[in-house]
Amino acid sequence: VLSRRRFKLVVSVHEVCIALVFDWVPARPWWTMAVEAALRRNIEAQLERLLCQLEDIESLKTEMSAVEFERERNDTLQQLSEFEDSLQKTLSGNLTMQSELEVTKLAIRAAISKAFKTPQVIRLFAQKQPAALRERLAQIDRDVKLGKADHDAVAEQAAEILTALKKLGEPLAPKEEAFLRKHQTRDLCDFEAVAEEGDVHLPGHSASSTTSRQ
């Protein structure tokens, strides 16, 4: 009787490794993971291009007429909408990537619905950067205290940041919850209601751990 011999082959492509034992075929072979990694990079690059375009338009707002600004901004939002449709078709049937890019889809939806109007906030939200969002919020607070920014002028952006943090599963302090209730726009309320079931909890942020900050 011949004993079963075990063979192991390790294949490394773009830091993706798998082990093959006899005729065992992994559920997600390395070539699938490599294709998904390339697709993810392409999606991130396209989103970054559109957000940079939106950011450029915002920075040139004072140099444009109101009509020209709205036209350029709406054109970019239309491109984001088309990108969202394309993304939906591309990810159809791929539950793994749909889960991984859930925040990206929420960020695009926030921009299209005009719930989020600040490109930098949209970018940090899409990149799942709660620490960077917190730092931006702290900078806004410092600027208001030092008289570098008017409270009413930055309140909407602060509300966007707090909404993004909530969607990432970050706990908010009672005073932050109160601030959000006071300054949340109708668009932000609608976005939060629609995305309520799609809250994304980062590693270490379980539903039970989202108690308010003290």
Side-chain angles (χ1 to χ4, degrees), residues 169 171 201 204-212:
H201 298 289
H205 291 79
S206 62
S208 60
S209 69
T210 55
T211 55
S212 295

mmCIF file of all heavy atoms in Angstrom, residues 169 171 201 204-212:
data_model
loop_
_atom_site.group_PDB
_atom_site.id
_atom_site.type_symbol
_atom_site.label_atom_id
_atom_site.label_comp_id
_atom_site.label_asym_id
_atom_site.label_seq_id
_atom_site.Cartn_x
_atom_site.Cartn_y
_atom_site.Cartn_z
ATOM 1 N N GLY A 169 -18.188 53.606 12.649
ATOM 2 C CA GLY A 169 -18.310 52.913 13.921
ATOM 3 C C GLY A 169 -17.600 53.588 15.067
ATOM 4 O O GLY A 169 -17.405 52.984 16.123
ATOM 5 N N PRO A 171 -17.243 55.982 18.239
ATOM 6 C CA PRO A 171 -18.137 56.562 19.244
ATOM 7 C C PRO A 171 -18.000 58.079 19.296
ATOM 8 O O PRO A 171 -16.907 58.613 19.127
ATOM 9 C CB PRO A 171 -17.655 55.920 20.550
ATOM 10 C CG PRO A 171 -16.213 55.609 20.306
ATOM 11 C CD PRO A 171 -16.120 55.232 18.855
ATOM 12 N N HIS A 201 -18.015 48.950 10.684
ATOM 13 C CA HIS A 201 -17.249 48.925 11.921
ATOM 14 C C HIS A 201 -15.849 48.427 11.636
ATOM 15 O O HIS A 201 -15.660 47.307 11.162
ATOM 16 C CB HIS A 201 -17.945 48.032 12.956
ATOM 17 C CG HIS A 201 -19.305 48.515 13.330
ATOM 18 N ND1 HIS A 201 -19.510 49.645 14.090
ATOM 19 C CD2 HIS A 201 -20.548 48.051 13.008
ATOM 20 C CE1 HIS A 201 -20.811 49.845 14.247
ATOM 21 N NE2 HIS A 201 -21.459 48.898 13.603
ATOM 22 N N GLY A 204 -11.904 46.105 15.796
ATOM 23 C CA GLY A 204 -11.832 46.638 17.153
ATOM 24 C C GLY A 204 -12.988 47.548 17.504
ATOM 25 O O GLY A 204 -13.057 48.083 18.600
ATOM 26 N N HIS A 205 -13.927 47.732 16.542
ATOM 27 C CA HIS A 205 -15.081 48.596 16.792
ATOM 28 C C HIS A 205 -16.344 47.770 16.629
ATOM 29 O O HIS A 205 -17.055 47.874 15.648
ATOM 30 C CB HIS A 205 -15.123 49.775 15.799
ATOM 31 C CG HIS A 205 -14.032 50.749 16.015
ATOM 32 N ND1 HIS A 205 -12.759 50.533 15.578
ATOM 33 C CD2 HIS A 205 -14.037 51.957 16.633
ATOM 34 C CE1 HIS A 205 -12.001 51.576 15.900
ATOM 35 N NE2 HIS A 205 -12.752 52.447 16.537
ATOM 36 N N SER A 206 -16.618 46.932 17.579
ATOM 37 C CA SER A 206 -17.837 46.129 17.532
ATOM 38 C C SER A 206 -19.005 46.980 17.995
ATOM 39 O O SER A 206 -18.845 48.051 18.555
ATOM 40 C CB SER A 206 -17.707 44.908 18.459
ATOM 41 O OG SER A 206 -17.529 45.328 19.799
ATOM 42 N N ALA A 207 -20.210 46.458 17.742
ATOM 43 C CA ALA A 207 -21.399 47.226 18.105
ATOM 44 C C ALA A 207 -21.433 47.505 19.600
ATOM 45 O O ALA A 207 -21.882 48.547 20.045
ATOM 46 C CB ALA A 207 -22.664 46.461 17.698
ATOM 47 N N SER A 208 -20.911 46.575 20.381
ATOM 48 C CA SER A 208 -20.934 46.750 21.822
ATOM 49 C C SER A 208 -19.886 47.726 22.327
ATOM 50 O O SER A 208 -19.914 48.156 23.457
ATOM 51 C CB SER A 208 -20.713 45.392 22.520
ATOM 52 O OG SER A 208 -19.471 44.846 22.161
ATOM 53 N N SER A 209 -18.933 48.060 21.467
ATOM 54 C CA SER A 209 -17.841 48.939 21.895
ATOM 55 C C SER A 209 -18.054 50.382 21.517
ATOM 56 O O SER A 209 -17.205 51.219 21.735
ATOM 57 C CB SER A 209 -16.509 48.458 21.302
ATOM 58 O OG SER A 209 -16.501 48.652 19.912
ATOM 59 N N THR A 210 -19.202 50.686 20.904
ATOM 60 C CA THR A 210 -19.442 52.042 20.431
ATOM 61 C C THR A 210 -20.150 52.902 21.459
ATOM 62 O O THR A 210 -21.085 53.635 21.161
ATOM 63 C CB THR A 210 -20.275 52.014 19.127
ATOM 64 O OG1 THR A 210 -21.474 51.272 19.372
ATOM 65 C CG2 THR A 210 -19.517 51.399 17.994
ATOM 66 N N THR A 211 -19.723 52.772 22.699
ATOM 67 C CA THR A 211 -20.249 53.655 23.728
ATOM 68 C C THR A 211 -19.667 55.029 23.548
ATOM 69 O O THR A 211 -18.589 55.194 23.008
ATOM 70 C CB THR A 211 -19.894 53.109 25.121
ATOM 71 O OG1 THR A 211 -18.489 52.933 25.182
ATOM 72 C CG2 THR A 211 -20.606 51.811 25.403
ATOM 73 N N SER A 212 -20.362 56.035 24.017
ATOM 74 C CA SER A 212 -19.935 57.413 23.788
ATOM 75 C C SER A 212 -18.620 57.698 24.474
ATOM 76 O O SER A 212 -18.312 57.159 25.529
ATOM 77 C CB SER A 212 -21.002 58.368 24.328
ATOM 78 O OG SER A 212 -22.200 58.224 23.605
#
